[in-house]
Amino acid sequence: MTLEWIRFVVGTVVLCIGLATFALEVFGVFRFHFVLNRMHAAAIGDTLGIGISLIGLIIFSGLSFTSLKMFLVIIFLWCASPVSSHLI
């Protein structure tokens, strides 16, 4: 019972950090003046925000096949998102 509450609190904190990362990304996209700076803010915020949010969801789900799939999504996004933003 106590372990579930600790997992819930830690997962909620990590998800809130991911939400704050997304908020900073939006602020950076609208605040920067140059296109390349906006693209950099969007790529970094997107990669980091999704990664942190998925880590929070992994904490919520515990050790399962679903958490493995979410971890593989994190690895894929960490590889694909910077490359795709660089190509744009």
Side-chain angles (χ1 to χ4, degrees):
M1 184 73 174
T2 306
L3 184 62
E4 291 179 18
W5 277 101
I6 292 172
R7 228 171 55 187
F8 176 75
V9 169
V10 171
T12 303
V13 167
V14 173
L15 279 174
C16 287
I17 291 171
L19 182 64
T21 304
F22 283 128
L24 286 173
E25 171 194 356
V26 170
F27 178 73
V29 167
F30 286 118
R31 183 74 177 154
F32 289 143
H33 298 291
F34 300 111
V35 174
L36 293 177
N37 292 344
R38 290 179 180 180
M39 286 175 46
H40 181 71
I44 294 296
D46 188 35
T47 304
L48 189 63
I50 290 174
I52 292 173
S53 297
L54 282 173
I55 287 172
L57 292 175
I58 288 171
I59 292 170
F60 274 135
S61 77
L63 292 175
S64 64
F65 189 65
T66 305
S67 62
L68 174 67
K69 290 190 280 187
M70 285 189 275
F71 181 73
L72 291 175
V73 168
I74 291 172
I75 298 298
F76 174 74
L77 287 174
W78 277 3
C79 295
S81 182
V83 172
S84 64
S85 67
H86 178 73
L87 287 175
I88 290 176

